[in-house]
Amino acid sequence: LAKTTQPISMDSYEGQEVNITCSHNNIATNDYITWYQQFPSQGPRFIIQGYKTKVTNEVASLFIPADRKSSTLSLPRVSLSDTAVYYCLVGDLGESGGGADGLTFGKGTHLIIQP
Amino acid sequence: DSGVTQTPKHLITATGQRVTLRCSPRSGDLSVYWYQQSLDQGLQFLIQYYNGEERAKGNILERFSAQQFPDLHSELNLSSLELGDSALYFCASSVLGRKGVQETQYFGPGTRLLVL
């Protein structure tokens, strides 16, 4: 079971870069790392997914060190609208495992952006 | 708009009652997931269906059950409701829902259930 640990909450200011780190010491070889964003009273929304090194899209970057025991979601130049809960998930790609394990959202990280 | 629809949006009922929540996945998605979100427990995975069959099970109570129909819509049935069942219930869908594969899930707007 690839359990994840994230900060409960963080805050920052508009225009800053925000980095949220997720620990997953028991990550398995076939596990991918996925981040979701959730606004109040809305369903989570996919942000980014990666396996190793660095992944970047129009919204965020995901940094994964060589040992893959942690990952960092980087949000460049945040705005007030980035205030949300961010979830880190770790899941299996193969038939050997996964199932419900990769669907554990937990309580996420509450990110608050101030003016 | 994710393309996933859920009805009803709000539901208020009394303890001991039974309710049914409905979810229509995105067009073409074969897999449906149900989640419960409460203030103290966070977002909890309940159950996953793929093309009509149960694929994965999470923290779903015995009083709760779900099914996925041939047209791929899904229903979550909650019975003998208790005050603690008050929560937001989300449905999500993904394309294939292969076992263990962490596909992108598309979430619906949720159903807010209040048990009085």
Side-chain angles (χ1 to χ4, degrees):
Chain A
L1 173 61
K3 185 178 177 180
T4 61
T5 303
Q6 303 175 235
I8 295 174
S9 68
M10 295 177 65
D11 61 3
S12 186
Y13 295 92
E14 281 191 293
Q16 299 296 305
E17 178 184 78
V18 170
N19 296 312
I20 306 174
T21 297
C22 178
S23 297
H24 27 80
N25 291 318
N26 297 323
I27 190 168
T29 303
N30 292 331
D31 284 346
Y32 265 54
I33 301 154
T34 308
W35 286 80
Y36 283 81
Q37 174 194 56
Q38 185 182 24
F39 298 113
S41 298
Q42 294 186 27
R45 183 175 70 101
F46 172 87
I47 301 176
I48 197 166
Q49 184 179 76
Y51 182 78
K52 63 180 179 180
T53 62
K54 177 183 174 182
V55 179
T56 297
N57 62 22
E58 64 277 7
V59 177
S61 293
L62 179 59
F63 298 93
I64 305 167
D67 66 5
R68 304 201 326 120
K69 293 185 182 300
S70 67
S71 59
T72 299
L73 174 72
S74 181
L75 305 173
R77 297 179 300 281
V78 293
S79 64
L80 296 177
S81 63
D82 291 316
T83 294
V85 179
Y86 292 83
Y87 298 94
C88 165
L89 281 74
V90 174
D92 190 299
L93 280 182
E95 293 293 327
S96 61
D101 292 352
L103 301 169
T104 302
F105 277 75
K107 296 189 178 182
T109 297
H110 291 247
L111 176 64
I112 299 172
I113 304 301
Q114 303 180 47
Chain B
D1 184 3
S2 66
V4 177
T5 61
Q6 290 186 246
T7 57
K9 192 171 183 179
H10 298 97
L11 190 51
I12 302 175
T13 188
T15 55
Q17 295 299 303
R18 172 189 171 95
V19 297
T20 297
L21 313 183
R22 183 189 169 101
C23 168
S24 292
R26 291 188 323 155
S27 176
D29 283 1
L30 299 179
S31 200
V32 170
Y33 311 76
W34 285 98
Y35 292 86
Q36 178 193 56
Q37 186 168 41
S38 57
L39 283 174
D40 57 342
Q41 293 293 324
L43 190 59
Q44 298 276 317
F45 167 68
L46 295 178
I47 197 164
Q48 176 198 0
Y49 277 82
Y50 167 71
N51 206 20
E53 294 187 1
E54 183 182 307
R55 177 58 61 94
K57 215 168 193 176
N59 300 319
I60 188 166
L61 300 173
E62 287 191 8
R63 300 184 286 109
F64 297 180
S65 64
Q67 54 184 328
Q68 186 179 28
F69 295 87
D71 68 353
L72 300 178
H73 91 270
S74 178
E75 293 181 355
L76 179 67
N77 300 296
L78 316 175
S79 61
S80 303
L81 285 168
E82 302 175 358
L83 296 178
D85 297 327
S86 295
L88 257 175
Y89 290 84
F90 288 106
C91 165
S93 72
S94 69
V95 176
L96 294 177
R98 289 168 293 175
K99 183 175 180 179
V101 176
Q102 198 175 63
E103 294 181 324
T104 298
Q105 296 178 60
Y106 298 87
F107 282 77
T111 293
R112 186 173 293 278
L113 173 66
L114 179 60
V115 182
L116 301 176

Short mmCIF file of all heavy atoms in Angstrom, two decimals, chain B residues 92-115:
data_model
loop_
_atom_site.label_atom_id
_atom_site.label_comp_id
_atom_site.label_asym_id
_atom_site.label_seq_id
_atom_site.Cartn_x
_atom_site.Cartn_y
_atom_site.Cartn_z
N ALA B 92 -17.23 9.81 -10.28
CA ALA B 92 -16.20 10.13 -11.27
C ALA B 92 -16.22 9.05 -12.34
O ALA B 92 -16.72 7.95 -12.11
CB ALA B 92 -14.82 10.21 -10.63
N SER B 93 -15.69 9.38 -13.50
CA SER B 93 -15.59 8.36 -14.54
C SER B 93 -14.22 8.42 -15.20
O SER B 93 -13.52 9.45 -15.14
CB SER B 93 -16.71 8.52 -15.58
OG SER B 93 -16.50 9.66 -16.40
N SER B 94 -13.83 7.33 -15.78
CA SER B 94 -12.59 7.29 -16.56
C SER B 94 -12.82 6.39 -17.76
O SER B 94 -13.79 5.64 -17.82
CB SER B 94 -11.41 6.80 -15.72
OG SER B 94 -11.55 5.43 -15.39
N VAL B 95 -11.88 6.42 -18.67
CA VAL B 95 -12.08 5.76 -19.94
C VAL B 95 -12.21 4.25 -19.79
O VAL B 95 -13.18 3.63 -20.21
CB VAL B 95 -10.93 6.09 -20.91
CG1 VAL B 95 -11.09 5.32 -22.21
CG2 VAL B 95 -10.91 7.57 -21.19
N LEU B 96 -11.19 3.64 -19.20
CA LEU B 96 -11.15 2.18 -19.16
C LEU B 96 -11.31 1.61 -17.77
O LEU B 96 -11.98 0.62 -17.58
CB LEU B 96 -9.83 1.68 -19.77
CG LEU B 96 -9.65 1.94 -21.25
CD1 LEU B 96 -8.28 1.46 -21.71
CD2 LEU B 96 -10.74 1.24 -22.05
N GLY B 97 -10.63 2.22 -16.79
CA GLY B 97 -10.72 1.71 -15.44
C GLY B 97 -10.06 0.37 -15.28
O GLY B 97 -10.50 -0.48 -14.51
N ARG B 98 -8.96 0.17 -16.00
CA ARG B 98 -8.23 -1.09 -15.86
C ARG B 98 -7.72 -1.21 -14.44
O ARG B 98 -7.31 -0.24 -13.83
CB ARG B 98 -7.05 -1.11 -16.82
CG ARG B 98 -7.43 -1.26 -18.27
CD ARG B 98 -6.25 -0.99 -19.17
NE ARG B 98 -5.84 0.39 -19.11
CZ ARG B 98 -4.77 0.87 -19.72
NH1 ARG B 98 -3.98 0.06 -20.37
NH2 ARG B 98 -4.46 2.15 -19.62
N LYS B 99 -7.70 -2.43 -13.94
CA LYS B 99 -7.32 -2.65 -12.55
C LYS B 99 -5.92 -2.12 -12.30
O LYS B 99 -4.98 -2.45 -13.02
CB LYS B 99 -7.37 -4.14 -12.21
CG LYS B 99 -7.05 -4.41 -10.75
CD LYS B 99 -7.21 -5.86 -10.40
CE LYS B 99 -6.87 -6.08 -8.93
NZ LYS B 99 -7.04 -7.48 -8.54
N GLY B 100 -5.80 -1.31 -11.28
CA GLY B 100 -4.51 -0.79 -10.88
C GLY B 100 -4.02 0.38 -11.69
O GLY B 100 -3.07 1.04 -11.30
N VAL B 101 -4.66 0.68 -12.79
CA VAL B 101 -4.18 1.80 -13.61
C VAL B 101 -4.74 3.09 -13.06
O VAL B 101 -5.93 3.22 -12.83
CB VAL B 101 -4.63 1.63 -15.07
CG1 VAL B 101 -4.20 2.85 -15.87
CG2 VAL B 101 -4.01 0.38 -15.66
N GLN B 102 -3.87 4.06 -12.86
CA GLN B 102 -4.30 5.33 -12.32
C GLN B 102 -4.67 6.26 -13.46
O GLN B 102 -3.91 7.15 -13.83
CB GLN B 102 -3.21 5.93 -11.45
CG GLN B 102 -3.71 7.00 -10.52
CD GLN B 102 -2.62 7.46 -9.60
OE1 GLN B 102 -1.63 8.00 -10.04
NE2 GLN B 102 -2.78 7.22 -8.32
N GLU B 103 -5.83 6.03 -14.04
CA GLU B 103 -6.30 6.88 -15.12
C GLU B 103 -6.81 8.20 -14.57
O GLU B 103 -7.22 8.28 -13.42
CB GLU B 103 -7.43 6.19 -15.86
CG GLU B 103 -7.01 4.95 -16.61
CD GLU B 103 -8.19 4.35 -17.34
OE1 GLU B 103 -9.31 4.41 -16.82
OE2 GLU B 103 -7.97 3.82 -18.43
N THR B 104 -6.83 9.18 -15.42
CA THR B 104 -7.43 10.46 -15.03
C THR B 104 -8.91 10.24 -14.79
O THR B 104 -9.62 9.66 -15.61
CB THR B 104 -7.25 11.50 -16.14
OG1 THR B 104 -5.85 11.71 -16.34
CG2 THR B 104 -7.91 12.81 -15.76
N GLN B 105 -9.37 10.70 -13.65
CA GLN B 105 -10.78 10.62 -13.32
C GLN B 105 -11.43 11.98 -13.51
O GLN B 105 -10.85 13.00 -13.14
CB GLN B 105 -10.96 10.18 -11.87
CG GLN B 105 -10.45 8.78 -11.59
CD GLN B 105 -10.62 8.44 -10.13
OE1 GLN B 105 -11.71 8.42 -9.59
NE2 GLN B 105 -9.52 8.15 -9.48
N TYR B 106 -12.62 11.98 -14.03
CA TYR B 106 -13.39 13.21 -14.24
C TYR B 106 -14.56 13.17 -13.27
O TYR B 106 -15.38 12.25 -13.32
CB TYR B 106 -13.85 13.30 -15.69
CG TYR B 106 -12.69 13.37 -16.65
CD1 TYR B 106 -12.10 12.22 -17.15
CD2 TYR B 106 -12.16 14.60 -17.04
CE1 TYR B 106 -11.01 12.29 -18.00
CE2 TYR B 106 -11.07 14.68 -17.90
CZ TYR B 106 -10.50 13.51 -18.37
OH TYR B 106 -9.41 13.58 -19.21
N PHE B 107 -14.60 14.17 -12.41
CA PHE B 107 -15.58 14.17 -11.33
C PHE B 107 -16.83 14.97 -11.69
O PHE B 107 -16.75 16.01 -12.37
CB PHE B 107 -14.96 14.78 -10.07
CG PHE B 107 -14.07 13.84 -9.33
CD1 PHE B 107 -12.78 13.58 -9.78
CD2 PHE B 107 -14.50 13.21 -8.18
CE1 PHE B 107 -11.95 12.70 -9.10
CE2 PHE B 107 -13.68 12.32 -7.49
CZ PHE B 107 -12.41 12.07 -7.95
N GLY B 108 -17.95 14.48 -11.19
CA GLY B 108 -19.19 15.22 -11.32
C GLY B 108 -19.30 16.30 -10.25
O GLY B 108 -18.42 16.42 -9.40
N PRO B 109 -20.39 17.07 -10.27
CA PRO B 109 -20.56 18.17 -9.33
C PRO B 109 -20.94 17.72 -7.92
O PRO B 109 -20.91 18.52 -6.99
CB PRO B 109 -21.68 19.00 -9.95
CG PRO B 109 -22.46 18.00 -10.75
CD PRO B 109 -21.47 17.01 -11.27
N GLY B 110 -21.31 16.46 -7.76
CA GLY B 110 -21.62 15.93 -6.44
C GLY B 110 -23.08 16.05 -6.07
O GLY B 110 -23.85 16.84 -6.64
N THR B 111 -23.47 15.21 -5.12
CA THR B 111 -24.80 15.28 -4.49
C THR B 111 -24.58 15.54 -3.01
O THR B 111 -23.85 14.80 -2.35
CB THR B 111 -25.58 13.97 -4.66
OG1 THR B 111 -25.89 13.77 -6.03
CG2 THR B 111 -26.86 14.00 -3.83
N ARG B 112 -25.19 16.61 -2.51
CA ARG B 112 -25.05 16.92 -1.09
C ARG B 112 -26.21 16.28 -0.36
O ARG B 112 -27.37 16.63 -0.57
CB ARG B 112 -25.04 18.42 -0.85
CG ARG B 112 -24.76 18.79 0.60
CD ARG B 112 -24.60 20.30 0.77
NE ARG B 112 -23.42 20.84 0.12
CZ ARG B 112 -22.21 20.82 0.62
NH1 ARG B 112 -21.98 20.25 1.80
NH2 ARG B 112 -21.19 21.35 -0.05
N LEU B 113 -25.89 15.34 0.52
CA LEU B 113 -26.90 14.62 1.29
C LEU B 113 -26.90 15.11 2.73
O LEU B 113 -25.86 15.16 3.37
CB LEU B 113 -26.61 13.11 1.27
CG LEU B 113 -27.50 12.25 2.17
CD1 LEU B 113 -28.95 12.26 1.67
CD2 LEU B 113 -26.97 10.83 2.24
N LEU B 114 -28.08 15.45 3.19
CA LEU B 114 -28.24 15.87 4.58
C LEU B 114 -29.25 14.94 5.24
O LEU B 114 -30.39 14.84 4.80
CB LEU B 114 -28.71 17.32 4.67
CG LEU B 114 -28.94 17.87 6.07
CD1 LEU B 114 -27.66 17.81 6.90
CD2 LEU B 114 -29.47 19.30 6.02
N VAL B 115 -28.82 14.25 6.27
CA VAL B 115 -29.69 13.34 7.00
C VAL B 115 -30.06 14.00 8.33
O VAL B 115 -29.17 14.36 9.11
CB VAL B 115 -29.00 11.99 7.25
CG1 VAL B 115 -29.96 11.04 7.96
CG2 VAL B 115 -28.54 11.37 5.93
#
